[in-house]
Amino acid sequence: MGMRYEHIKTAILVVLVASSLIMTYHIWTYQPSYKVISKNQHLQEVEVSSKSKIEDHILPTEVRYHRNDNHYMSHDEDDVNKWVNEMKKWKFSNVTDVSDAISPDGFLNYVHGSNSIEVLYPDALPLKTFQQLFSFSQTSLPNQTFDRILIKIKRTPSFFVSVYLVNYEQKKIYSVTVKNLAKDDIKELEDKMKRTYAPSFVYKENKNRYIFLPENNVTMNSEVYYTSMRHLDIEKYKEALFNNPDYARKETSTNRDVYTEGTKVINVNTKTDVMEYVNLVNSTTEVMEDYNLINRSFSFVNDHGGWTESNYRFNSWNRVTKEISYRYYKGNYPVYSNQGMTEIYQRWGNAEILNYRRPLYRFVRVQDSSVEKLQSSQKVIQLIEKHQNFDPNLLKDISIGYQLEEVSQQPKTGEKTVEFNSNSVKLVPSWFYYYNSKWYRIAPPTEGGDNDGLE
């Protein structure tokens, strides 16, 4: 009996040991099916709004026409789009640097000479970016930039047309071969320019550039908008910008919400509804080419559907600091704000975004426009030149745009019933000038003085 009992214990012990060994084996060899999600994949999965095309956000802002010592200009969106649509029919090729054929002293007269048309962009673009906007048969392009397309017309019986890409700051001119250019279309557009574009005169005090200003007084519409606050869900941006958004820490203070995940921070100004993302670590070593900065900045916003409105357009960039901005445009005029409320701003490291600032709202028009008369160009020049220690060679541009201002009053009887509050803003037509690498506003006479530098 005793021997039988010992056999039973031994058998039970063997079974337990075997079971333990089998379980241990399965624990050691088990591999769960984790799905690795890269940073870029994660951005693509989270969409705040719909996707956009790059050509919808990189557009000219002005067209100029020079003929027989007369100058004409237009910022009208329809006028600019007509030229863009015409150039989309063309096929570009054979980019050749012809700068040496024109003396530095003759550069300004050549660009602004009679029978010339300028299609101007707000800042210089790499030729490789231009290749994405229009039809280009040449695949290999030099790593150069341009800020305007120059169309020169020779009034021979055959009506000969030459096209150039010009970098105004560097005084560089590149000739391009153009096919599919319809001369009748050019003649029709040219005829409209003479009839409808605003006559302009030239400010020549800066020896390196001409500044063109309207001869006649300008009237523009001011409009009131309701900013649909928090139209864009901050949770979507947390998912798009953080690796582990569920573990982000939130801290709230007056007019501010701060979300932190490791070295990444999202700071939301709850009064202006402007979000700023900061990545404190730039661990990559890849060197980004100039044209890739524009492509990557556009794709970065597009990947999470951040182009909430096509009104945000490429405005400026700095190839050294790797900063780039897309500004809100009303019609074909830029809209400025002292608090960054009309700008999508990015700063990049070698290949990773370090800083991303943008509004979280959309503009919704709620009140009919009112007409406002701007100060004359001549008066504006006088105001600028009165500045202490004014140096005309530091003045690079004078232009018209809008200033975003908050509206505090309630609507008048008979106006739309949307209640005005701190979310209501007014786009005020204003003069601006670019001096010593910064934009400034010339405030209307009722406000007095100049505003600080604008964002």
Side-chain angles (χ1 to χ4, degrees), residues 123-259:
D123 201 357
L125 291 170
L127 293 177
K128 293 181 181 179
T129 301
F130 180 68
Q131 189 177 25
Q132 297 177 272
L133 306 177
F134 299 99
S135 178
F136 229 109
S137 60
Q138 182 178 347
T139 56
S140 179
L141 292 172
N143 188 23
Q144 302 295 334
T145 60
F146 75 101
D147 57 34
R148 68 197 65 200
I149 300 170
L150 176 64
I151 303 163
K152 305 281 286 186
I153 298 173
K154 290 185 179 178
R155 300 190 177 282
T156 61
S158 60
F159 192 79
F160 186 74
V161 178
S162 302
V163 180
Y164 303 89
L165 306 178
V166 178
N167 186 310
Y168 201 74
E169 185 73 22
Q170 298 177 2
K171 291 184 168 51
K172 303 288 287 186
I173 300 178
Y174 306 91
S175 69
V176 287
T177 301
V178 176
K179 296 181 179 179
N180 293 357
L181 191 151
K183 295 178 182 178
D184 288 341
D185 291 345
I186 299 294
K187 290 178 181 178
E188 183 179 340
L189 288 169
E190 185 190 24
D191 181 63
K192 182 181 179 182
M193 288 189 286
K194 289 186 292 184
R195 291 184 290 105
T196 64
Y197 282 23
S200 62
F201 68 96
V202 190
Y203 179 82
K204 298 183 178 181
E205 296 303 313
N206 185 329
K207 62 183 180 181
N208 295 314
R209 61 176 55 233
Y210 290 167
I211 298 174
F212 290 84
L213 297 163
E215 282 186 358
N216 303 322
N217 289 337
V218 177
T219 58
M220 290 177 62
N221 293 334
S222 66
E223 298 182 354
V224 175
Y225 287 80
Y226 179 82
T227 57
S228 53
M229 305 294 273
R230 293 300 171 92
H231 174 85
L232 308 181
D233 188 356
I234 190 62
E235 295 300 320
K236 295 275 189 181
Y237 281 100
K238 284 172 55 183
E239 293 177 37
L241 297 167
F242 287 163
N243 292 328
N244 299 293
D246 291 339
Y247 295 98
R249 186 176 72 254
K250 179 182 179 181
E251 297 179 3
T252 300
S253 59
T254 304
N255 296 329
R256 199 163 300 278
D257 290 338
V258 180
Y259 304 85

Side-chain angles (χ1 to χ4, degrees), residues 54 57-58 123-130 132-133 144-146 288-302 307 314-319 322-326 346 348:
I54 193 169
H57 297 270
I58 301 181
D123 201 357
L125 291 170
L127 293 177
K128 293 181 181 179
T129 301
F130 180 68
Q132 297 177 272
L133 306 177
Q144 302 295 334
T145 60
F146 75 101
M288 195 191 314
E289 290 188 65
D290 292 339
Y291 80 96
N292 271 339
L293 175 60
I294 294 178
N295 288 355
R296 193 164 289 179
S297 70
F298 173 79
S299 297
F300 173 78
V301 179
N302 212 32
W307 296 114
F314 166 76
N315 185 69
S316 65
W317 66 301
N318 187 312
R319 65 172 65 189
K322 294 185 173 66
E323 294 175 281
I324 186 167
S325 75
Y326 295 81
Q346 300 175 22
W348 287 77

Side-chain angles (χ1 to χ4, degrees), residues 241-407:
L241 297 167
F242 287 163
N243 292 328
N244 299 293
D246 291 339
Y247 295 98
R249 186 176 72 254
K250 179 182 179 181
E251 297 179 3
T252 300
S253 59
T254 304
N255 296 329
R256 199 163 300 278
D257 290 338
V258 180
Y259 304 85
T260 305
E261 185 222 33
T263 60
K264 300 175 181 179
V265 178
I266 294 178
N267 190 329
V268 179
N269 185 321
T270 55
K271 183 178 181 181
T272 62
D273 226 36
V274 172
M275 179 201 81
E276 183 167 18
Y277 164 80
V278 178
N279 181 0
L280 302 176
V281 175
N282 178 30
S283 58
T284 56
T285 57
E286 176 189 349
V287 177
M288 195 191 314
E289 290 188 65
D290 292 339
Y291 80 96
N292 271 339
L293 175 60
I294 294 178
N295 288 355
R296 193 164 289 179
S297 70
F298 173 79
S299 297
F300 173 78
V301 179
N302 212 32
D303 284 346
H304 59 269
W307 296 114
T308 54
E309 299 183 73
S310 60
N311 299 63
Y312 283 100
R313 301 181 185 177
F314 166 76
N315 185 69
S316 65
W317 66 301
N318 187 312
R319 65 172 65 189
V320 177
T321 61
K322 294 185 173 66
E323 294 175 281
I324 186 167
S325 75
Y326 295 81
R327 183 169 297 283
Y328 188 87
Y329 275 71
K330 169 67 176 67
N332 235 30
Y333 294 95
V335 181
Y336 296 94
S337 163
N338 291 1
Q339 297 174 296
M341 295 175 65
T342 59
E343 180 187 41
I344 294 176
Y345 163 85
Q346 300 175 22
R347 181 172 63 87
W348 287 77
N350 292 323
E352 188 173 3
I353 193 160
L354 303 181
N355 199 194
Y356 176 39
R357 185 177 66 243
R358 60 163 304 135
L360 293 175
Y361 55 77
R362 280 181 173 171
F363 288 105
V364 179
R365 183 175 169 182
V366 296
Q367 184 177 341
D368 293 337
S369 60
S370 59
V371 178
E372 296 194 15
K373 182 179 178 180
L374 292 171
Q375 299 175 82
S376 69
S377 303
Q378 293 80 3
K379 178 62 176 177
V380 167
I381 291 173
Q382 291 174 12
L383 291 172
I384 295 173
E385 290 180 337
K386 283 182 180 178
H387 284 209
Q388 187 176 9
N389 300 323
F390 172 73
D391 182 353
N393 291 315
L394 296 178
L395 179 64
K396 293 190 175 181
D397 198 7
I398 304 173
S399 64
I400 294 171
Y402 289 93
Q403 175 74 14
L404 184 144
E405 295 181 354
E406 185 176 322
V407 176

